[in-house]
Structure formats: C-alpha cells, structure tokens
Amino acid sequence: MARDGVRIHLDTDIGGDPDDACALAMLLGWPGVEVTAVTTTIDRGGLRAGCAAHVLELAGRADVPVAAGASVSLTTGLPADPACEDERMWSRSVAARPSSAGEAFDLLDRSIAAGETIVATGPYTNLALLEMARPGSIARTPIVLMGGWVRPPAEGLPAWGPDMDWNVQWDTRSAEVVFAAASSLTLATLPATLRAHLREADVPRLRATGALGELLARQSLARADEAGMRELGRAHAALPDDLLNFHYDPVACAVAVGWPGAVVEEARLRAVLEDGVLRFQPDPAGRPTRVVVDLDGPAFSEAWLTAVETAQRRSP
C-alpha cells in the first residue's frame, strides 16, 4: 500500500473541517509510515495544536511533537479560528497548546534536514514563512500540498472552481511563495479529491474502532449537517446520496506515502492570480509539478478505514 519506511511531517489546519483529523488518524495506522512531527498553521493561540495533540493521544502517540505555527494569513493578516470549542466536534478536555516563537519553524527545519516528506493540508503559511526566513529550505525535501486547481471536476461532481480551493485562496501569497520555491512538488488538486468520499454507511465501522473512530464519526456527522453534504450528494450523479464529507486531506497524505490508486501526471504549471483568486495553469515554460488528476474513490475509502482501524488497534 505504500513505500516502506516513509517519514511524514504533517502541517495542518486541524480543528475545522474534520478531514484534517481524518488524515492524521489515517497516517498513524498506514503500514510502513512514521509520523515524525505535526505543525499547525493559521493557529492563533495554539487551539489547533491542542486538537492535533488530542488525536495523537487517542491513538496512543503522545510522543509525536506538536508545535503551533503561523497565526494569520500572510496575504490578508486575518485569523481563521477553529471549531475546537464546539462540543459537537471536540471534547471539553481539548486545551490550547501555544508554542514559543519559531518552534514550529525549527520543527519543520529539522524534518526537512532529515529528508522527511512534508504534507501540507492547510494554508501554506508555515512553509512560506520558513522559506522567507531561511531561503532554500523547502527545496530540500519533497512537498505534497492538498490544494491547487488545474482542471475542472469530472462530470457528475460539483462544478467547483478555484475559488473553492480553501488552502490556496486563504493565503494566496504563501501559495505563490511555496510554488516558486519547492523543487519537488505534488499537488493533490481539489477536483481530484472530490472522488474520495466519507459516507454515512461507513459510520458503524468507524465507531467500532474505538475512541478515535468515534471522534471522527461525530465530527463528520456534525459537519455534514452543517454543510448540507447529503443534499449535495443527492444533487450530483457521481456522489453518494449519504455523503458526509470529502477526503481532501487524507488523499494528499495517501499520495505522499505512495498509495497506488491515484493518477499522478507530470505537468509544467504557472501560478495565475486573477481578481484575488489563484489557480495553476499549464504552461510549457512553467515549473515541473506532479499533479493528482484522478483516483479510485472506493479503493481509497477502504484503505482509509483500514488505516484508522489499525491506528486504534495500535493504541494502548
């Protein structure tokens, strides 16, 4: 299912959409993978870091270092506070984990020096700030980004444009910096990830795993109600009627560890910013980039569930 001995540093905006927690839980149970560190982005006061630490504790992996990074968008200066205090999503026991200045960047730097793959499943602010402070940093290791809009979604999926690409659009300046500086870059594009679904039919199996699965199930059900996911599913032929969420971030992590069910193409791209919306456009003179363009959705759902089950079994 993956290359053996893959070491992953996860940079995440966990605490909002539950796909970040789903991604971390999956990595903790994926065969041949070691999660070496977690940094959180757009994390004012360490609330997101507290959420990451809670997931790690449920999986018996409190040994994984966690550090809170950038607090606001580099583009707008605005914060994006998580839902950590929403009891439908997180328990009362989740406490903020603020970090000292530079701690997250030192953690990223150590992971890069060790040749670990960096997977960014939130806005790319931490990576951009690291590159600006220490030029050449992110060119030294593989980078996988959840986000990027290159091709439109396939027929039967929501016709979402690049404006829906949260990780890129929340901080377009950071996206431009990272795209320009990374030498080994993979984009798990928004349209491709729309193929991977968490369904209500998955909930009994998820809950049966234990506390970690129960957390993910509760969060995903709450998110589905809030975002009208079932209605979205019924409105599109290529989506299940019992849709709870898209596995955006878990797909990016699976691609990073070598999951074979993703279709990845080599492309030359350039970043195009129009009316404040950033997309990546094919250009013969553009930067070489690996682009996820399609994937086997049902196979991914099974791989994800199996990994979460494994993560819970490994916990004390």
Side-chain angles (χ1 to χ4, degrees):
M1 294 175 67
R3 303 184 305 273
D4 288 336
V6 180
R7 293 165 60 84
I8 297 291
H9 179 126
L10 182 65
D11 188 71
T12 174
D13 63 344
I14 192 171
D17 191 317
D19 66 317
D20 288 88
C22 288
L24 177 54
M26 182 196 79
L27 285 173
L28 294 171
W30 199 280
V33 171
E34 180 183 357
V35 178
T36 61
V38 177
T39 46
T40 54
T41 189
I42 53 169
D43 190 1
R44 183 169 58 170
L47 287 170
R48 297 184 190 276
C51 293
H54 182 64
V55 172
L56 290 166
E57 287 163 6
L58 289 178
R61 290 301 312 277
D63 58 301
V64 176
V66 178
S71 59
V72 297
S73 166
L74 187 61
T75 305
T76 66
L78 295 174
D81 291 335
C84 296
E85 296 178 353
D86 185 340
E87 291 184 20
R88 299 174 307 162
M89 305 289 280
W90 300 93
S91 71
R92 290 177 179 269
S93 62
V94 176
R97 292 263 306 250
S99 298
S100 59
E103 185 177 344
F105 306 115
D106 289 341
L107 200 53
L108 276 163
D109 218 15
R110 288 198 294 272
S111 295
I112 289 170
E116 295 163 9
T117 299
I118 310 297
V119 186
T121 62
Y124 318 135
T125 316
N126 283 341
L127 296 178
L129 289 173
L130 176 65
E131 179 63 24
M132 293 167 71
R134 307 169 191 177
S137 292
I138 65 173
R140 295 186 287 133
T141 204
I143 306 286
V144 178
L145 305 178
M146 191 283 121
W149 196 99
V150 179
R151 300 179 184 175
E155 185 177 353
L157 294 172
W160 290 349
D163 58 305
M164 292 290 288
D165 191 0
W166 156 260
N167 289 349
V168 170
Q169 307 312 332
W170 180 254
D171 194 347
T172 56
R173 176 58 181 147
S174 288
E176 289 177 309
V177 169
V178 173
F179 181 72
S183 63
S184 177
L185 181 66
T186 302
L187 301 179
T189 61
L190 172 69
T193 61
L194 297 180
R195 292 282 198 188
H197 314 131
L198 178 60
R199 303 178 56 179
E200 195 157 7
D202 299 326
V203 168
R205 182 173 167 187
L206 192 56
R207 282 183 159 151
T209 65
L212 181 58
E214 175 59 37
L215 174 71
L216 301 180
R218 187 176 77 244
Q219 290 184 343
S220 298
L221 287 164
R223 170 65 177 169
D225 291 340
E226 181 181 84
M229 285 294 179
R230 297 175 188 84
E231 293 78 9
L232 185 70
R234 290 192 289 268
H236 294 86
L239 298 180
D241 290 349
D242 62 343
L243 178 70
L244 295 184
N245 205 1
F246 297 102
H247 277 311
Y248 310 106
D249 295 343
V251 166
C253 293
V255 169
V257 303
W259 177 62
V263 178
V264 183
E265 296 182 355
E266 299 284 344
R268 287 187 172 270
L269 304 175
R270 66 183 176 94
V272 178
L273 184 66
E274 294 179 344
D275 299 324
V277 175
L278 183 67
R279 60 186 172 86
F280 298 98
Q281 179 173 299
D283 186 328
R287 294 186 61 83
T289 311
R290 299 176 74 244
V291 181
V292 180
V293 297
D294 201 359
L295 56 89
D296 185 337
F300 180 76
S301 295
E302 177 60 30
W304 178 78
L305 279 164
T306 299
V308 174
E309 289 169 339
T310 301
Q312 191 71 86
R313 284 198 302 269
R314 289 175 177 173
S315 64

